[in-house]
Amino acid sequence: MMMTKNIEDVVIQCGQLLMQSSAVDSKENKEAVQIAAESLKFCGLEMKRLDADQQTVIQSICFLDSEEADPSNAMEFRYSEDHGGSAVYRVYPKVGQEKWSERTVKWLGIFMMQLHEANSRQNLVEDAQYYRYHDPLTKHTNLLYYSERCDLYIKNGTICDYTAIAVDLDDFTQLNLRIGSDNCDLVLTRFLDWLKDGLTDNEIVSRISGDRSALLVLKEHEDMILEKLKHSEIRYGENPNEKVNLSAEAGIYHLSEDVESHHNIIQAISSTLNTAKGSMHLQFAYYDRASAEELERKKFYESAFEQALINEDIHVFFQPKVSLKDYELIGAEALSRWIVDGKMVPPDSFIPILEETNRICELDFYVLEHVCQCIQSWIRHGVKPVKVSVNFSRRHLSDKNLVSEVIRILDKYEVPHEYIEMELTETTIDADFEALKRVVHDLRGCGIESSVDDFGMGYSSLSLIRDVPFKVLKIDKSFLGDKNAESEERQRSMMKHVISMANDMGMECIAEGVESMEHVQLLKENKCYMAQGFLFNKPIPQEEFEDILSQQLK
Ligand code: C2E
Ligand code: MG
Ligand code: MG
C-alpha cells in the first residue's frame, strides 16, 4: 500500500511548481509536469493523459489502482482553448472516499488550471518546433529543413548520392481559378504526398513557396520522380470527376562532392528551374556548372557596377595614337579597366554584360567625364592636350539627349570640343543607322568629330561611310594580320582600298592593333599614317600617359 501524503499539500506544491515553470522553455515545462505527476503518486494519485486530439486535451487524475477510482463522482475542469476547442480535465476520487474539503477542491482547481497552462505552453512550444521545419498548409517540410538537411549531407559526405530538384507546377494559377483555392491546396498537398511516396526517410520533399518545392532524392529515384513530374493524376474529392492531371517543370542538379553549401544547391536549382520556365519547349533543365558560373559572373558585374563607379574602381586607361610620319604622339583612346579585388579586368569581360542592360551608357559618360577632368587639368598645368577618343556604345543611339549631355559634360570642364572624339561602332540595324546619322551629324555641328570603330570587323557597309559624316575611320586590327595566308592576301587588298577610299573622301584613317614594323611598313605603303597598337604602347594608366604627354611637349 502506497504511503499517502496530504493531498492538499501536494496539490498546492505542484500548483506552485507549475506556475513557476518558464512559459517558453519546453524542457522546464515538461520537467515541472513530470515532477507534479511524481508528487501526486505520493498521494496514491496518478496523472494520465487519456486522450488528445486537435480540439480537446483530456487529462485525468485518478487513483493508481483505477479499480478504486470512482468515475461517477469525477470532478471536471474545463478550459477553453485559443483555437476554439476546450480542454477537459477530470479528477476521479477513490470509491467511498471521504469527501474532499472545499479548500482541497479549490486547490485542485488551481492545480488543474496550472496543469492546463503548462500543457498549453507545451503544445505551443511543440507547435513552434514543428512549424520551424514544416509548412503549415501541406505539413510537408520547409526550406529551412531542406537547407539544414543539405548541409548535413554535405558534412557527412553523402550529398553525392543525391539529385536536387526544384519543381514548379504547370498552370497552377489557372487551376486555382478552375477548382478553387481550397481544392488547390488539397491537390498540392496530395501531389507532394505522391512525390514523397516511395522515397526513403532521408529523401526530402519540401514546399518552398506557392507551388514551388525542392526535392532531394537518391540518384536511383530520379527517374521515378521525373516520371511523376511528367504526369500525375491527383484526386481532391470522392466524385470521379474531382481529379486533376498535373505536370511540373523542374530544375535538376546532379550533386557532387564539391558542393559547398545549401546556398549553392538552392541557387543552382532555382536558376535552372527558371531556365526551364523561360523556355517554350523544355520541361526539365539540367544544371550545368560552366553556364552557371557564367551567369554568376554576369550577376556579379551587374550588381557590383553601381558601387564600382562610386568607388572609382573602374579606371580609365589611355592608349597613345601615333603619327607614322614622325612617330609623335597625336592622340589617345580612353579604355576602361575594372579593378576587382586588386586584379585588373579587361573590358571584354564586362562591356558585353553592361551592354545587355544599357548600363554601358553610364560607363561611357563616366569615362567621358573622367577624360574631360584630365584635359581640364592638363590645360590648367600648361600641358597642351591631345585629342582623346572615347568609346560610345550603340546603346546611346536611342537617347534623344545624347548630344546635349555630351556637350554639357565638355562645357562643365571647359574642354574645347576639338579635344574629344567619339568612337562609335558600325550598326546593321536600320533604325540605329538613322539615329547614328543624326548623332554624328549633330556632334559635328557642335565641333565634335566621330570615328567608325573596328571598321571591317562586322558587316561593314559602304553606305555607313557614305551617309554618316564620320571624320575618322579606324581600321580593325584583323586587316593587318591573319595566320591564314589566303585570306591575309584578300584582307590586305581590302585594306589598301579602304584606306584609299577614306583618303579620297577626306576622312582620316587610323589603324588599330599595330604590333610590328612590318605592319607599319604596310600601312605606310598604303598611305595610312596614323596608328595605335602594342608596338608603341599598350593602354596605360593615366599617370603614365601624362608622363608621355608632358615629355612629348618638352
Ligand atoms: P576598341 O575600342 O577597338 O579598343 C581597342 C582594343 O584593342 C583595346 O582593347 C586595346 O587594348 C586593343 N589593342 C590595342 N592595340 C592592340 C594591339 O596592338 N594588338 C592587340 N591584339 N590589341 C590591341 P581593350 O582595351 O581590351 O578594349 C576592348 C574593347 O572594349 C574596345 O575595343 C571597346 O570596344 C570596348 N571598350 C573599352 N572601354 C570602353 C568604354 O569605356 N566604353 C565602351 N562603350 N566600350 C569600351
Ligand atoms: Mg575604340
Ligand atoms: Mg577598335
Side-chain angles (χ1 to χ4, degrees), residues 319 333 336-337 351 364 391 453-454 477 512 515 534 539:
Q319 186 176 34
E333 175 173 7
S336 307
R337 298 289 181 269
I351 297 250
D364 292 345
N391 292 284
D453 201 358
D454 305 335
K477 47 185 169 285
E512 296 184 88
E515 292 181 343
F534 294 172

Side-chain angles (χ1 to χ4, degrees), residues 281-296:
H281 51 270
L282 209 65
Q283 186 184 3
F284 301 146
Y286 291 83
Y287 175 77
D288 156 40
R289 197 161 197 152
S291 51
E293 277 170 5
E294 177 61 25
L295 202 73
E296 267 308 291

Side-chain angles (χ1 to χ4, degrees), residues 21 25-35 122 126:
S21 80
D25 185 341
S26 134
K27 202 162 151 246
E28 211 176 302
N29 252 325
K30 252 190 196 152
E31 277 169 13
V33 174
Q34 189 93 32
I35 293 170
Q122 190 59 30
E126 277 167 13

Side-chain angles (χ1 to χ4, degrees), residues 24 42 78 83 85 99 126 170 173 189 199 245 261 308 321 345 350 376 486 508 510 524 533 544:
V24 284
F42 281 105
R78 188 177 283 271
H83 53 64
K99 229 174 158 246
E126 277 167 13
D170 293 330
T173 316
T189 307
L199 298 181
N245 290 319
S261 88
K321 295 177 183 172
V345 182
F350 58 89
Q376 184 186 48
E486 202 184 320
E508 290 171 10
I510 179 164
K524 281 180 164 175
E544 239 177 273

Side-chain angles (χ1 to χ4, degrees), residues 333 335 391 423 425 452-455 457 474-477 512 532:
E333 175 173 7
L335 294 157
N391 292 284
E423 291 197 15
T425 46
V452 202
D453 201 358
D454 305 335
F455 185 80
M457 201 178 96
K474 289 195 86 179
I475 303 173
D476 188 64
K477 47 185 169 285
E512 296 184 88
Q532 176 185 343

Side-chain angles (χ1 to χ4, degrees), residues 233-245:
E233 188 183 278
I234 305 292
R235 304 197 148 272
Y236 57 92
E238 294 304 316
N239 204 313
N241 57 16
E242 287 177 322
K243 61 177 183 191
V244 290
N245 290 319

